[in-house]
Amino acid sequence: MINNTMGEGNTSTRDMSTINNTMGEGSTSTRDMSTDKINVDLNEYPIEDISLENGYSGTVSEHFDHDIVANDVLEVEEIETYEKENIVSSSQNIEINEFAEEVDRDETYNETNIVPFVGQIFLSEEEAFAFYKRYAYQHGFSVRKGRFIKRNGIMRRRDFFCHREGRSSLKIIEPLKEQRNRESTRCECKAYLRISLQKSHDIFPSEWRVTKFVVEHNHVLLTQSEVRFLPANRTISEDDIERIFLLKEGGLSVRQLMRVIELEKNVKHGYLPFIERDIRNLFVKTKKKFERNDAKDLLKYCEDAKKSCSKFHYAYTLDEERRLEHIFWSPASCSDWYQKYGDVVVFDTTYKVNSYEMPFGIFVGMNSHGKTVLFGCALLRNETISAFRWLMKTFISLMKKPPKTILTDQDPWMKEAISKDLPSTKHSFCIWHITFKFSSWFNAILRDKYSKWCSDFYELYKLETCEEFEHQWPKVVAKYNLQSNKHVKGLYEIRNYWALAYLRDHFFGGMTTTGRSESINAFIKRFINSHTSLSDFTKQVDVAIDDIKQKEDHDIMLEKCKRINLKLMSPLQEQAHGVLTRFAFQKFQEEFERSTQYSIHHENGICWQCSMWNDTSEFRKES
């Protein structure tokens, strides 16, 4: 029975019992013969998107024949008088670049030797396809496998088409589905090569004979510098794939890792057998392959880490569908840092893991060397009060003690969660997150007075006492006629969370912004992108922790090798120098020097006041 008897370029409907039309071996595309529409499972293949300026632009169905990776290596018999070649079939493509280099090296090679002719013999279908691909590359087009005929389960005839054969099918527009409107390169080109399986005598093997060869194309052929960009001529070898993922783990961007591979292979810039889009498609394909087990891999990582070290802490929740909802983890080093330096904690969720749009929350602090340390990490499904309450409860439960102070942004749900689950912890807002909004709040209203308003606000921010703040606030607000402004009212309502006058009785270790958390976010972002899996994300967090540990060891080394020159030789300084780190002792020296500027004087015959002589040569009350 003949499975396919479609004529050249004919798209008419045939009886399914006698027709089996496939676009290429391994393709998941099927044709609904009643409607003449092609149904494609897009989830199984990364969509190729080649721009017209590169010489080719095609629809998804055009790429199926050469997007399916085959790992087998085919031995090709001698062609004329030349040595055998190993042709690696990757996406059913031939390494055209390697072939072109071999042609250049062989001075005796005659280009007419790779022009097909009717009656030409090949020992296999793959050999014929490889030969026609070479010819196509030399003449500025690419080929794909087309119609075939089978008898008794054996392939008897096969057609190889120009990549621009046929015409594009009408695209079904689904309003609720995001779709890309891409132009097709199909132009009903009639150029093709037909081979048939024949056997002349019993003593001879079955051979594939060229029975028809149409040379003419109805479109402009590409130059040698252009044809290499066609998808059929681009492939990434297994060795290159391994190298790409290694460089990706090292934090290199796609452009950077391509340049590294060019240098390693001593290839001219832009002449690798693949382009940036191929690497991005590889990342998407890999992500789709592993994302189903992504959460399981993350939990397995935490479970194994807990078994290897009892100080590793983690907790997680699942939703009703048994999917990962929230997770918190704190490696052993982070737990140790928290026990030493956990009096002041900065919590930040400004960064999101792009692959899943999950808020990434980190608890950080400062060690005795003035460097940022990490206390714990969390991935949350969302930023709601229930998510934050779970996180705060989990943090206190696993870390065994609450912090004395915590610094966050102005998230109202976070504020409520901290007030309920950390009642003994002083909560403060990052002043930078507040002033960052000033330009959008006040610039259009105040215009040329905006800069002066910012200066006056800064003076309010650093006032010493609550009484001074309450006295000065209405005056400054009235000066700019902002009494009815909703943002000014909101700032006053939360003054206990940002004005230093209300925070001086609490220890913040000199931290008034969430900048320390942002430094860790910036470090982690160097190694991840939108395709990073959850398990890979945790590995990069581990890299950040190792980096912190290395810096801490370096600071300890400096402590032992370098001495600080004492500015004053007082017994108190000598004692402090013996117990404090370099960073802490420098802070102590600054305060010690300031103490010489204080003066105690009698006021009103009753109270003793301590004042400091400032730069304007006036006494200012300190306490």
Side-chain angles (χ1 to χ4, degrees), residues 328 334 337-339 341-348 361-366 373-376 392 395-396 399 401-409 414 418 422 425-430 507-509 511-514 516-517:
F328 168 83
C334 298
W337 285 328
Y338 182 74
Q339 301 307 316
Y341 313 116
D343 290 341
V344 185
V345 170
V346 176
F347 177 69
D348 179 54
I362 54 176
F363 296 87
V364 302
M366 181 174 65
V373 290
L374 184 65
F375 297 145
M392 295 304 163
F395 181 78
I396 300 305
M399 308 305 277
K401 66 175 184 178
K404 293 181 179 179
T405 53
I406 186 169
L407 189 67
T408 71
D409 61 22
M414 193 186 306
I418 291 174
L422 280 73
T425 300
K426 175 59 181 176
H427 185 195
S428 173
F429 291 151
C430 168
F507 178 65
F508 283 90
M511 294 185 288
T512 56
T513 70
T514 57
R516 291 188 176 273
S517 64

Side-chain angles (χ1 to χ4, degrees), residues 98-338:
E98 294 182 3
F99 171 79
E101 293 174 0
E102 183 175 336
V103 170
D104 292 339
R105 290 194 301 266
D106 193 345
E107 297 179 355
T108 64
Y109 196 95
N110 188 345
E111 187 173 337
T112 59
N113 288 342
I114 61 168
V115 176
F117 59 89
V118 175
Q120 188 173 4
I121 300 296
F122 298 99
L123 294 181
S124 68
E125 176 194 349
E126 290 78 13
E127 182 184 352
F129 185 64
F131 186 88
Y132 194 40
K133 289 223 20 159
R134 291 193 184 99
Y135 168 79
Y137 187 86
Q138 290 286 337
H139 291 80
F141 67 101
S142 66
V143 298
R144 58 187 179 85
K145 293 183 178 181
R147 299 182 296 257
F148 66 90
I149 292 177
K150 278 187 176 182
R151 293 191 183 95
N152 300 323
I154 300 175
M155 185 88 67
R156 295 292 181 180
R157 195 180 81 184
R158 166 71 86 174
D159 291 347
F160 303 130
F161 292 131
C162 168
H163 72 280
R164 301 191 68 175
E165 179 271 343
R167 57 186 177 187
S168 61
S169 58
L170 295 177
K171 189 174 183 178
I172 301 176
I173 303 298
E174 299 182 27
L176 301 179
K177 186 177 180 180
E178 186 176 337
Q179 294 175 297
R180 293 188 292 179
N181 185 21
R182 300 183 304 161
E183 295 182 1
S184 172
T185 60
R186 299 288 183 95
C187 63
E188 300 186 76
C189 180
K190 303 299 182 182
Y192 79 101
L193 180 76
R194 173 174 292 172
I195 56 174
S196 299
L197 186 64
Q198 299 179 0
K199 188 172 183 178
S200 56
H201 299 283
D202 291 342
I203 63 174
F204 289 96
S206 296
E207 300 171 324
W208 287 91
R209 181 184 299 272
V210 176
T211 57
K212 192 163 186 179
F213 175 45
V214 178
V215 181
E216 295 79 12
H217 296 259
N218 65 353
H219 57 87
V220 177
L221 297 177
L222 304 178
T223 66
Q224 288 295 293
S225 61
E226 297 167 343
V227 71
R228 63 192 178 91
F229 290 113
L230 293 176
N233 297 332
R234 305 198 317 256
T235 182
I236 307 178
S237 68
E238 291 297 326
D239 290 340
D240 286 339
I241 290 175
E242 183 178 352
R243 185 63 174 158
I244 285 169
F245 279 103
L246 180 64
L247 296 174
K248 172 177 175 284
E249 187 173 349
L252 273 67
S253 66
V254 173
R255 183 166 298 180
Q256 289 172 332
L257 63 85
M258 283 194 66
R259 185 57 184 149
V260 170
I261 295 175
E262 286 174 346
L263 295 173
E264 290 176 340
K265 292 178 174 289
N266 196 25
V267 173
K268 184 179 177 181
H269 178 62
Y271 277 79
L272 287 173
F274 50 86
I275 60 176
E276 289 186 20
R277 185 177 293 111
D278 298 326
I279 296 180
R280 299 186 194 281
N281 287 341
L282 173 66
F283 291 162
V284 172
K285 183 178 179 180
T286 304
K287 174 188 171 184
K288 289 182 178 180
K289 180 179 179 180
F290 293 105
E291 66 182 358
R292 181 171 297 183
N293 297 322
D294 208 6
K296 292 182 180 179
D297 292 340
L298 173 58
L299 296 179
K300 182 68 165 53
Y301 160 83
C302 292
E303 181 181 349
D304 293 342
K306 181 66 176 179
K307 289 179 180 178
S308 61
C309 181
S310 60
K311 289 186 177 182
F312 184 96
H313 304 299
Y314 77 102
Y316 64 93
T317 62
L318 304 177
D319 61 15
E320 296 178 353
E321 299 179 3
R322 304 291 297 172
R323 296 179 303 179
L324 183 65
E325 185 177 30
H326 312 306
I327 183 169
F328 168 83
W329 73 98
S330 176
S333 298
C334 298
S335 180
D336 291 339
W337 285 328
Y338 182 74

